[in-house]
Amino acid sequence: MFKLAHLSDPHLGPLAGFSLHQLFGKRATGYVNWRRKRRHAHDMDILALIVADIRAQQPDHVACTGDVSHIGLPNEFKTAVAFLDELGPRDTVSFVPGNHDAYARSSLKALAYHLGEWVTGDDGHTGYPWYRRRGPVALIGLNTGVPTLPLMATGKVGRDQIAKTEALLDRARDEGAIRVVLIHHPPYVGGARRSRELVDAAAVEAMLARKGADLVIHGHNHRFSLAWRPGVGRDVPIVGVPSASIGPRGHGEMASWHLFRIEGDGRAPHIAFEQRGFELDGTVMRRQEIALHTKPV
């Protein structure tokens, strides 16, 4: 059995050192939002409990689907390096960025420089989509983080990434691997409201319909979701996880993460997952276990 831990949207804090000249354009409004709301909503003590629980379950691999930062400052990505290292050895942790990580054009260079090791494929290439084979599982990571206007949190995959992802899905199928796609924004039409949606979600849905996948995991909405979209031979489960750091002063679902248990192979995968979070008193709460594919008889 292969155990895959999934967490997302930790929004690490507090904001690391920065200069006033970095707070221009969209970052200015983002900083005000952090001061007023986000710094209270995202609880680093809760996140520490989540990380400890992940490590205690001894997963084979950990997937973080973005938004390690608030406003994409270079020093935020230095904090993210330490955080990702807490999750496990670097070859056992994978990352894809979110919209907050690509908050401004000036964020992109620092993002690539500091977090490149977690987005490097088995071929040694750093970038998207990446491909990592781990045991029976082929992990494929897509980037939806693109700089946007103030008050917008949309994402985009783009034609080039879609074409390359199709080839990687074919490769994983030919290898007989169980195909797991990592992405930040929910990759289906209606997955988020208009100002937060994946603008080419319809194209990603069409790709899944043409090529199929065994599991797609994402974050972004800070809430649990389970959607199904047509694939090849069977529907594709698309699972969203809440933020890993939302505390009692935040809005929406309390922090949690998902532990996927994966068995079988690409022809007959069996995937189930457990939702794990915390009560307000800090005790572990196992919410429920959900089976996505049934073992063949």
Side-chain angles (χ1 to χ4, degrees):
M1 180 176 64
F2 186 89
K3 294 195 294 185
L4 174 67
H6 176 215
L7 76 161
S8 195
D9 300 79
H11 290 286
L12 303 171
L15 281 185
F18 58 90
S19 57
L20 290 178
H21 82 270
Q22 291 177 305
L23 298 182
F24 63 90
K26 184 177 180 179
R27 279 204 183 119
T29 58
Y31 177 73
V32 171
N33 185 43
W34 175 78
R35 290 283 304 177
R36 293 179 59 191
K37 298 179 181 179
R38 283 189 176 273
R39 66 180 177 138
H40 304 298
H42 295 281
D43 188 321
M44 295 303 100
D45 291 334
I46 291 288
L47 179 61
L49 291 173
I50 292 285
V51 171
D53 192 37
I54 290 173
R55 292 178 65 92
Q57 302 308 310
Q58 299 183 321
D60 297 290
H61 203 82
V62 181
C64 178
T65 52
D67 279 1
V68 290
S69 69
H70 288 276
I71 54 177
L73 291 166
N75 279 341
E76 289 189 274
F77 298 126
K78 294 180 182 179
T79 302
V81 169
F83 168 73
L84 293 173
D85 276 338
E86 284 185 52
L87 295 174
R90 295 188 177 185
D91 63 343
T92 68
V93 180
S94 293
F95 174 77
V96 293
N99 52 290
H100 281 265
D101 304 319
Y103 209 74
R105 292 191 182 280
S106 58
S107 303
L108 302 181
K109 184 176 180 180
L111 171 65
Y113 176 78
H114 289 292
L115 302 188
E117 194 163 344
W118 289 273
V119 300
T120 299
D122 290 341
D123 60 359
H125 173 71
T126 299
Y128 310 95
W130 49 253
Y131 185 96
R132 291 178 156 191
R133 181 69 189 266
R134 300 292 186 268
V137 174
L139 301 161
I140 300 172
L142 280 67
N143 177 24
T144 62
V146 293
T148 59
L149 294 173
L151 305 180
M152 298 293 288
T154 53
K156 184 177 182 180
V157 176
R159 292 181 179 178
D160 182 61
Q161 266 199 100
I162 288 175
K164 291 177 179 177
T165 301
E166 288 192 350
L168 294 180
L169 288 168
D170 282 346
R171 172 184 168 183
R173 178 203 61 207
D174 293 344
E175 292 177 0
I178 297 171
R179 300 176 295 173
V180 179
V181 176
L182 283 62
I183 192 169
H184 178 71
H185 290 77
Y188 54 92
V189 176
R193 64 178 184 269
R194 184 150 189 172
S195 63
R196 296 174 50 80
E197 68 184 349
L198 186 67
V199 296
D200 52 357
V204 177
E205 279 195 42
M207 175 191 71
L208 293 174
R210 288 192 299 271
K211 299 298 181 178
D214 300 302
L215 174 65
V216 179
I217 54 178
H218 69 87
H220 189 56
N221 285 337
H222 295 188
R223 61 179 174 83
F224 167 71
S225 62
L226 172 59
W228 297 83
R229 289 298 182 271
V232 177
R234 54 180 173 264
D235 289 345
V236 179
I238 303 174
V239 183
V241 69
S243 163
S245 63
I246 289 288
R249 299 178 68 182
H251 296 289
E253 298 182 21
M254 281 281 288
S256 63
W257 65 283
H258 292 160
L259 178 63
F260 289 90
R261 294 181 174 88
I262 302 173
E263 298 180 274
D265 56 26
R267 294 184 301 276
H270 173 63
I271 303 174
F273 71 97
E274 177 186 335
Q275 298 172 288
R276 296 183 65 87
F278 288 89
E279 298 283 10
L280 293 180
D281 63 0
T283 56
V284 177
M285 175 174 62
R286 173 176 169 171
R287 296 182 178 175
Q288 61 178 320
E289 186 157 329
I290 300 171
L292 300 177
H293 294 293
T294 302
K295 282 184 178 179
V297 177

